[in-house]
Amino acid sequence: MVKAEAVHKSFGQVEVLKGIDLEVARGEVFCVVGPSGSGKSTFLRCINHLEKINAGRLYVDGTLVGYRERGGKLYELRDREVAAQRREIGMVFQRFNLFPHMTALENVIEAPVQVKRESRTDARERARKLLDRVGLADKADSYPSQLSGGQQQRVAIARALAMDPKLMLFDEPTSALDPELVGEVLDVMRGLAEDGMTMIVVTHEMGFAREVGDSLVFMDDGVVVESGNPREVLGNPRHERTKAFLSKVL
């Protein structure tokens, strides 16, 4: 579903990604861990072209992201074409980014109605099912300010699912939550995994990575240091840098 080939990304003189190579299979839960500043979130944002890569190739479902290739050269796609690619990739951020003046239901139906031109009736019916799926059927008419952080994040997940994505990206979805609210969001993500959704999850929740993840990579300083089965990497890391990081977080 996702293939990265020698992906580089710089901000000015600072090289944040230094040649990322990895593959994510269809239906896989792919976890990315590492210290702050290692390039995890930047890589995630490159997958849906929120950040433009400086070198390499990124493919989603066999399609080059953000560019078209002709004669070995890359040409950037027009904004409209990039937006069309993004429709198929759901993203859930650390901060929930809900529209504060809209109810939970209105937040969920906004993109299908405005972007996919779905009828409001159909979008509303589907949104209610999605809110029920994330355990918030009774909060459809609540505004974000009336919801807890965990509830807002679950609305954000429902909103991403409303576009019927083939891939879901999660950028530390529980890091802004109070500890007792983390579980309710992870439970929703477990459900998505059981339903076969392809997910790339940047996370500090090592228990989730060990229990739900199919693959795990440890990133540091813009490179993949170690990768493999989450239980093996977390339980018996081979690389000294991975050992040092895990000794602080496990």
Side-chain angles (χ1 to χ4, degrees):
M1 179 61 81
V2 178
K3 185 175 185 180
E5 298 177 346
V7 170
H8 289 255
K9 172 66 184 174
S10 298
F11 294 103
Q13 299 298 308
V14 181
E15 194 176 20
V16 179
L17 299 177
K18 302 175 181 176
I20 302 293
D21 291 288
L22 54 81
E23 291 187 16
V24 180
R26 194 178 306 278
E28 188 174 20
V29 179
F30 190 93
C31 296
V32 185
V33 303
S36 294
S38 58
K40 310 183 301 293
S41 294
T42 298
F43 176 67
L44 210 62
R45 292 169 66 85
C46 288
I47 293 172
N48 63 0
H49 207 59
L50 286 174
E51 299 290 354
K52 300 174 185 179
I53 64 176
N54 299 111
R57 304 279 191 280
L58 259 171
Y59 299 88
V60 171
D61 202 16
T63 301
L64 191 60
V65 173
Y67 300 90
R68 99 169 25 86
E69 189 166 0
R70 240 189 257 123
K73 283 189 174 180
L74 292 185
Y75 299 89
E76 192 165 1
L77 296 178
R78 291 192 284 273
D79 289 348
R80 191 178 71 249
E81 295 169 304
V82 172
Q85 288 187 338
R86 265 194 211 124
R87 276 179 218 167
E88 304 196 303
I89 304 172
M91 186 156 186
V92 179
F93 300 87
Q94 290 180 36
R95 295 283 167 188
F96 327 120
N97 293 342
L98 298 178
F99 296 116
H101 62 290
M102 293 183 178
T103 64
L105 188 77
E106 289 165 345
N107 265 282
V108 176
I109 70 171
E110 182 70 7
V113 169
Q114 299 296 336
V115 178
K116 294 180 100 173
R117 303 296 180 207
E118 279 185 27
S119 75
R120 283 194 173 271
T121 304
D122 290 349
R124 212 175 257 122
E125 185 180 333
R126 199 146 157 279
R128 289 193 185 280
K129 288 178 182 170
L130 287 169
L131 287 172
D132 184 44
R133 184 177 179 182
V134 299
L136 292 173
D138 59 334
K139 299 292 185 184
D141 298 321
S142 299
Y143 289 90
S145 61
Q146 299 169 311
L147 302 173
S148 71
Q151 290 170 332
Q152 289 185 61
Q153 193 61 297
R154 285 186 281 155
V155 173
I157 293 172
R159 181 178 63 180
L161 292 173
M163 291 295 282
D164 201 21
K166 60 174 75 168
L167 168 68
M168 285 284 282
L169 309 176
F170 292 87
D171 188 7
E172 297 187 25
T174 59
S175 65
L177 300 179
D178 293 334
E180 68 268 24
L181 301 177
V182 168
E184 62 191 45
V185 173
L186 294 181
D187 283 345
V188 170
M189 293 169 65
R190 278 188 194 92
L192 289 178
E194 288 165 7
D195 290 345
M197 175 63 75
T198 309
M199 299 158 61
I200 302 180
V201 186
V202 171
T203 186
H204 293 301
E205 302 294 335
M206 300 302 163
F208 174 85
R210 183 188 287 112
E211 177 193 339
V212 183
D214 297 301
S215 301
L216 179 142
V217 299
F218 169 67
M219 281 181 67
D220 187 38
D221 196 28
V223 299
V224 173
V225 176
E226 190 163 341
S227 63
N229 180 288
R231 287 156 289 289
E232 290 174 11
V233 175
L234 297 175
N236 188 27
R238 298 187 303 274
H239 199 283
E240 289 304 321
R241 182 64 190 95
T242 318
K243 290 177 185 175
F245 172 76
L246 293 176
S247 71
K248 293 185 175 72
V249 299
L250 289 179

